[in-house]
Amino acid sequence: MDIKEKEILRELKKYRERDLKYEDGKILGSMCSKPHPLSKKIVEMFLESNLGDPGLFPGTKELEGKVIKMMGNILNNKNPFGYIISGGTEANITAMRVIKKISRKKDKDKKVNIILPKTAHFSFEKARDMMDLNYISPPLNKNYIMDVKYLKDYIEDKREKHGIDGIVAIAGCTELGTIDNILKISKIAKEHKIYIHVDAAFGGFVIPFLEERYRLENYNYEFDFSLDNVFSITIDPHKMGLAPIPAGSIVFKDHSFKKYLDVEAPYLTDTYQATLIGTRTGIGVATTWALMKLLGSEGYREIVSKCMENSYYLIRRMNEYDFEEVITPVLNIVTIKDEDPLRTSLMLRDMGWYVSICRCVDALRIIVMPHINKDHIDNFIEALSQCKRD
Ligand code: 0PR
């Protein structure tokens, strides 16, 4: 390495050193974690791959097909079709694009009406801006999930005037980790022939691996393609899949959905392109394939169990200090009631702890990712109680 290169790297290191590190346990509000160590070598190996022109990278393209098959396996779908893309935002926008295309095919002048839970991630807001979608959001029920008793009314009331084109359901909502009752939603959607998109960006790598002892009684965890009218699912390897960023995924029920995505790209090796992002790395494909092979269901089950055990440990510790949770954790997301969550989160930030806050309820929100251990939790509880004493 010549002197100039060394100097550049030294300079970069200075910037990088200012970043927080997952292993320090201070990042408590992130859905990402330290990527699995195997990722490093894979990133290097696939550095120049570009799935935007797949004919040049047939090996990586074939691997993408295999990863989508693996996704199908965990999502109960024998004929999945989809892509490994930049993340949950791109996946959700892609699904909204399909719903819009299907609606336009039926009636090109009609508003595109989509039922969207109040707990939906803000990526749907971006989709609305870009595609002029009309969202209808039913109230939440006491469990902080979409109250399905309103669905029929919305569908039947609005059917004449507008018609509902799609329903979004969430499997592991960003703020609380709750799961919509997708079984019930699916029954209604089937009856009215409505498309369901499930946002399992976070829950997709948790729910299939959640041990029985962590499943709440009378809670519906079903979310995948085994349910009628679930036509697309967002599931992100760069969240609980432990892949490095960028690795998101959009999976469709079958290949028939490709026609809604394809645009002509006559001069490329593949003359159609379906993903929103054109030039795109194959790194996510390779890391996801490798980690799913390496860890398998058993490996992911162990990771999820550890996160759930630590979530309950956090609840026990906070209860000792009279802090109360909003809900019993459904997934590895813990909420802490707080009259002024913004203030508390800023105080914690001054002490070096990074938590996030909920919008739908006054609470702090902790994502108990694999990089969080019990010592971190003990230290955090100390810091939190100090905020309350001040
Ligand atoms: N859908 C759900 C349910 C999500 O929670 C998220 C992101 C997305 C879609 C969008 O995914 P991408 O960010 O991959 O496009 N949820 C996290 C959040 O907004 C993302 C995040 C991750 C935030 C790490 C902070 C952080 O440090 O809370």
Side-chain angles (χ1 to χ4, degrees):
M1 204 185 292
D2 69 21
I3 298 195
K4 186 133 195 232
E5 285 178 353
K6 271 193 191 152
E7 227 170 70
I8 287 171
L9 290 181
R10 211 175 307 123
E11 189 85 359
L12 282 177
K13 207 169 161 209
K14 278 198 280 180
Y15 287 97
R16 180 66 185 118
E17 272 167 0
R18 284 167 45 202
D19 295 345
L20 268 73
K21 308 287 178 302
Y22 290 109
E23 56 269 34
D24 293 341
K26 298 282 172 80
I27 303 180
L28 295 172
S30 168
M31 284 190 168
C32 296
S33 198
K34 197 174 175 67
H36 191 284
L38 184 63
S39 316
K40 254 191 194 165
K41 285 205 173 104
I42 302 168
V43 170
E44 204 180 338
M45 195 187 295
F46 283 79
L47 197 59
E48 63 187 36
S49 61
N50 171 20
L51 285 170
D53 202 358
L56 304 182
F57 300 92
T60 310
K61 183 64 203 162
E62 186 182 337
L63 206 54
E64 184 175 46
K66 286 186 188 291
V67 181
I68 295 299
K69 262 261 174 280
M70 287 160 135
M71 291 290 179
N73 281 342
I74 59 173
L75 298 173
N76 264 308
N77 183 353
K78 287 204 165 48
N79 294 302
F81 157 74
Y83 297 93
I84 298 297
I85 50 181
S86 61
T89 301
E90 189 185 343
N92 286 338
I93 294 173
T94 302
M96 296 304 100
R97 186 173 161 228
V98 169
I99 294 178
K100 177 167 181 174
K101 281 287 197 54
I102 295 173
S103 167
R104 280 283 182 272
K105 217 175 133 203
K106 283 193 230 145
D107 178 350
K108 68 177 181 25
D109 299 318
K110 177 180 138 346
K111 259 190 176 176
V112 182
N113 298 308
I114 297 170
I115 294 179
L116 183 84
K118 283 201 152 75
T119 48
H121 184 257
F122 54 78
S123 46
F124 290 97
E125 201 49 49
K126 298 177 185 174
R128 166 167 39 201
D129 280 351
M130 286 188 273
M131 291 181 268
D132 197 23
L133 309 171
N134 181 42
Y135 291 143
I136 299 148
S137 295
L140 299 177
N141 72 11
K142 65 176 188 343
N143 295 323
Y144 297 93
I145 57 173
M146 182 159 70
D147 198 334
V148 282
K149 75 169 180 279
Y150 293 91
L151 280 195
K152 262 194 148 104
D153 289 349
Y154 283 122
I155 294 166
E156 283 163 8
D157 278 5
K158 309 238 171 190
R159 182 151 268 259
E160 297 291 316
K161 280 182 272 168
H162 315 286
I164 299 292
D165 299 287
I167 303 174
V168 173
I170 307 173
C173 88
T174 310
E175 293 181 37
L176 305 163
T178 51
I179 305 168
D180 283 315
N181 192 328
I182 308 177
L183 177 64
K184 274 197 185 154
I185 296 170
S186 146
K187 286 184 180 152
I188 299 169
K190 186 182 181 199
E191 189 187 326
H192 296 275
K193 300 192 174 55
I194 297 176
Y195 185 117
I196 302 176
H197 169 66
V198 175
D199 182 358
F202 185 75
F205 269 93
V206 182
I207 304 164
F209 310 113
L210 196 59
E211 281 184 61
E212 210 44 54
R213 64 193 159 121
Y214 293 120
R215 290 180 184 247
L216 306 176
E217 241 175 88
N218 300 322
Y219 203 94
N220 205 297
Y221 288 85
E222 287 173 82
F223 76 103
D224 64 24
F225 290 104
S226 56
L227 300 175
D228 288 319
N229 288 43
V230 169
F231 292 145
S232 54
I233 299 182
T234 292
I235 168 171
D236 281 357
H238 72 200
K239 296 192 167 71
M240 282 294 284
L242 292 193
I245 302 163
S249 172
I250 180 74
V251 185
F252 290 92
K253 176 107 183 157
D254 57 47
H255 202 265
S256 69
F257 291 90
K258 186 171 188 295
K259 60 180 176 288
Y260 301 114
L261 296 172
D262 272 341
V263 296
E264 280 184 47
Y267 56 86
L268 296 184
T269 48
D270 187 346
T271 52
Y272 287 95
Q273 194 172 81
T275 50
L276 287 175
I277 291 182
T279 302
R280 63 186 178 105
T281 176
I283 289 175
V285 164
T287 49
T288 306
W289 181 85
L291 295 180
M292 288 180 84
K293 267 247 172 258
L294 181 75
L295 297 167
S297 301
E298 208 34 61
Y300 281 117
R301 197 167 297 130
E302 267 175 40
I303 291 165
V304 168
S305 296
K306 189 188 133 212
C307 293
M308 290 306 291
E309 186 191 314
N310 286 341
S311 300
Y312 278 99
Y313 180 74
L314 170 58
I315 299 249
R316 267 205 313 281
R317 293 299 333 267
M318 54 190 245
N319 291 164
E320 281 169 25
Y321 283 79
D322 290 334
F323 295 111
E324 231 185 299
E325 62 276 20
V326 178
I327 51 163
T328 307
V330 179
L331 306 178
N332 46 324
I333 298 181
V334 172
T335 44
I336 307 173
K337 286 186 193 169
D338 193 304
E339 275 172 16
D340 193 349
L342 182 63
R343 182 171 175 270
T344 311
S345 73
L346 292 175
M347 285 173 82
L348 283 165
R349 194 173 295 186
D350 283 342
M351 294 158 83
W353 297 91
Y354 285 73
V355 302
S356 42
I357 58 176
C358 296
R359 284 178 312 178
C360 64
V361 53
D362 286 336
L364 301 170
R365 141 191 187 265
I366 311 290
I367 326 269
V368 187
M369 292 299 286
H371 61 267
I372 306 295
N373 62 36
K374 293 193 173 66
D375 286 340
H376 299 140
I377 292 172
D378 289 340
N379 293 336
F380 167 68
I381 290 294
E382 275 306 316
L384 183 64
S385 60
Q386 207 172 313
C387 287
K388 294 295 151 185
R389 277 199 299 269
D390 292 343

